[in-house]
Amino acid sequence: MIAYAGRRLVRALLTLWVTLTAFFVLLRLNVDIGMLALNQNASPEAVAAFNARWGFDQPVLVQYLDYVRGLLVGDFGFSFRDSRPAVDWVFERLPKTLQLSMTGFALMVTIGVTAGIAAAINRGRALDRTIMSLAVAGYSMPSFVLGLGLMYAFAVFLQVLPSSGSTTWAHLILPAATYGLTGAAGVARYTRSAMLDVIGRPYILAAHATGTPPGEVITRHAAPNAAIPVVTFLGFSAGQLVGHAVIVETVFAWPGLGQALVTAVAFRDLAVVQVMVMVFVAFMVTANFIVDLLYGLLNPKIRMAGHGGKR
Amino acid sequence: MTGGMAMGDGETAPPLVDASALTRLFETRRWPFGRRRGVRAVDGVDLSIQAGECVGIVGESGSGKSTLGALLLGLQRPSAGDVRFAGQRLAALTPRALRRLRAEMALVHQNPLGALDPRMRLGPQIVEPLIIHAIAADARERRARLEAALTDVGLPPAIAERFPHQVSGGQRQRAVIARALMLSPRFVVFDEAVSALDVSVQAQILNLIKRLQRQSGAAHLFITHDLRAVRQVADRVAVMFAGRIVEDGPVAEVIRAPRHPYTRALIDAAPKLVPGRRRRDARTTEVGSVDAGPADPTLAVATTPAGCAYRTRCPAATALCSTVRPRLASEDTGRRVACHHPAAEGAQPLAQAS
Ligand SMILES: Nc1ncnc2c1ncn2[C@@H]1O[C@H](COP(=O)(O)OP(=O)(O)O)[C@@H](O)[C@H]1O
Ligand code: SF4
Ligand SMILES: [Mg+2]
């Protein structure tokens, strides 16, 4: 298991580094950054001075080495906008994003898995059909539509929850619900099909034949086996994190990283964009790393692949 | 009850398992449009099994063997008819009481890899019935019972630490058997328990099953499509066709002198089953079913409101066979057969008789 975790960790770090490098180069290809960052009417001298000041007149490789050298001592570059270290933006915004996405993710998993299991157990019955109709609706609805709908219902019409901002826990409810419900639709569908697959296996029949109460058949055998593909799916859905964060934070004026990323891009604030992208990538890579670990824990075949599992 | 007991005609010990007029209908989905179609997977089966007896069920794929096994274990509800276990009507039990009764029954499934939870080590799976039925509460006792069970089925103790994918097919089936026998059940259904194994391993597992049955005195139902396996383990055999028992009796008798044309066809299709009798030539094998594809009970139900379901394949069929369905009639030899024109005792092969 340790060796397995080690291999996965190396892979995660490698992914992070490759993404970072690719992104760094892409942002500098054929682009006059000074021109973009200032504006169309800026004098050529001003643009040249800007490029020289921030090092954009250097070859990309030199810039890259400089950047990496900086990273090693914790220097992530500076914002064009206020000359503050770019990481300051992250430190300001990250807690809010974590708060929102963790709550949303927890909601997504709880609602999605519960609904999926309930649908699978009641396959073909009214409950199953209701849950699956809702899931299809939720899956096909863009998250901003759901967000605006929730906002209209609870903030404007019922007036029980605030529509935007982040000052109290009540502010968290609508954006987290938007995040959670959108994701839960996919999780529910995936959980249902994973459960149905497992429920048809002979060992489930064997458990019933042993006299295992139905609830225990689910908790002892069905759910743990169905969890293997579901966890994989959750890992993939961590990839949608950025999109979710950007949209939900924008709709609800939630001052997190997603919203900050949108402004940073609008201002061509290169260092800030770069560090934020890194954070998002790190987020995903971590999520996938955790999934890999869980996967190994759940699936003995994967875990033991290293030490001669006989076939 | 009417299911004539082949064994022990004199003393009438009540059967451990007793099915009467047992029927299981599967309704295929009829919405959105299609007509309602039913499959009589099991159709009016009378069968009783005595403690200590091993009854074989043979029949081609789709003849309703697995469904019959599931009905006898109360894993499926009959559409009509009754199953009694030790005198208790299974259908009358609450789900809870039925679960408790499951400690006395077990199922050994065809596919030993599928029958084991791939995520669990073998040891914990084998002792799980003890936990479910709260029988051996402390870990040391469970450990002891695990080791005893492993020894019983001929597995080394170290195998308890393995996962199902790490052991061979034969070892897996032994583990499944160990789990099934953990609670010393009085009734065990083996559903194609050796069909997925290599021939050499099959023989070992069959011997194991036979030995365990002698030791425990449990009643066994041994489902298979392989007459040879039946001959090896069973005392009595019931031949199923299209959801019905068409013939039953002591296994040696039935194989030596089959009365029903379908039984004859099964025997003829099995090579070297009876010493001296060789596999029949192509013409009769074609009639003789096993290669002729599965019976289609849907067809039988839909197109034969009356008559014998086997008549389209039967070389001995007459006009009577297409109008009147033959009843499974007991004979004074302790055998039962459902056929208007059963082969006479010691008859020549049908092809020559006709
Ligand atoms: N759950 C089910 N739903 C619908 N039809 C079924 C179901 N189980 C079995 N059947 C049908 O019942 C018939 C008997 O099946 P089965 O008992 O599995 O036969 P066997 O074990 O002899 O191969 C087959 O035609 C099969 O298609
Ligand atoms: S009843 Fe008629 S058709 Fe059916 S098996 Fe007997 S002889 Fe053949
Ligand atoms: Mg079967």
Side-chain angles (χ1 to χ4, degrees), chain B residues 24 26-28 39-42 59-68 76 191-192 223 295-298:
Chain B
R24 171 72 182 181
F26 287 112
E27 249 176 58
T28 40
V39 175
R40 282 174 187 272
V42 170
E60 61 205 26
S61 166
S63 55
K65 306 181 297 293
S66 297
T67 307
L68 176 61
Q76 291 186 14
D191 190 348
E192 305 271 11
I223 295 172
D296 184 354
T298 321

Side-chain angles (χ1 to χ4, degrees), chain B residues 160-191:
Chain B
E161 300 304 318
R162 299 264 182 156
F163 285 95
H165 72 277
Q166 296 178 303
V167 305
S168 73
Q171 289 175 320
R172 265 177 228 141
Q173 195 58 296
R174 286 172 196 268
V176 172
I177 292 173
R179 180 181 62 187
L181 302 188
M182 198 70 230
L183 301 176
S184 311
R186 292 200 280 162
F187 177 46
V188 189
V189 172
F190 294 85
D191 190 348

